[in-house]
């Protein structure tokens, strides 16, 4: 499971705002905001959707702290 810090870092690598991630993951923007602020951990299905939205565009999560966007 990704951390709030990894979520923010992945968005930064992609130059995505919270709205774009929310749309890509089909979750509410408030879900993203509350997760990134450490207020809640999204339910399993939403967390998987967030991770998949990133992985679909090439983001790789490294351990519990890292994020990478390998060149193609």
């Amino acid at each position: 499971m990704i951390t709030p810090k990894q979520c923010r870092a992945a968005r930064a690598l992609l130059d995505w705002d919270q709205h774009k991630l929310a749309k890509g993951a089909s979750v509410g923007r408030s879900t993203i905001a509350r997760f990134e602020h450490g207020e809640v951990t999204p339910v399993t299905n939403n967390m998987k959707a967030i991770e998949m939205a990133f992985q679909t565009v090439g983001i790789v999560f490294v351990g519990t702290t890292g994020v990478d966007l390998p060149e193609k």
Side-chain angles (χ1 to χ4, degrees):
M1 179 173 10
I2 67 171
T3 65
K5 185 175 182 178
Q6 285 175 304
C7 189
R8 290 189 304 271
R11 281 194 312 101
L13 278 174
L14 296 169
D15 197 27
W16 284 7
D17 59 19
Q18 290 179 344
H19 293 281
K20 186 160 187 171
L21 174 56
K23 184 176 179 181
S26 297
V27 301
R29 194 213 48 88
S30 63
T31 298
I32 304 298
R34 293 178 68 208
F35 172 56
E36 288 185 351
H37 285 101
E39 296 172 12
V40 297
T41 298
V43 296
T44 302
N45 288 342
N46 286 351
M47 183 58 83
K48 286 180 182 177
I50 292 167
E51 291 178 9
M52 285 303 300
F54 285 132
Q55 291 170 349
T56 298
V57 294
I59 290 290
V60 176
F61 296 102
V62 182
T64 59
T65 58
V67 177
D68 194 14
L69 182 59
E71 292 186 37
K72 298 200 179 210

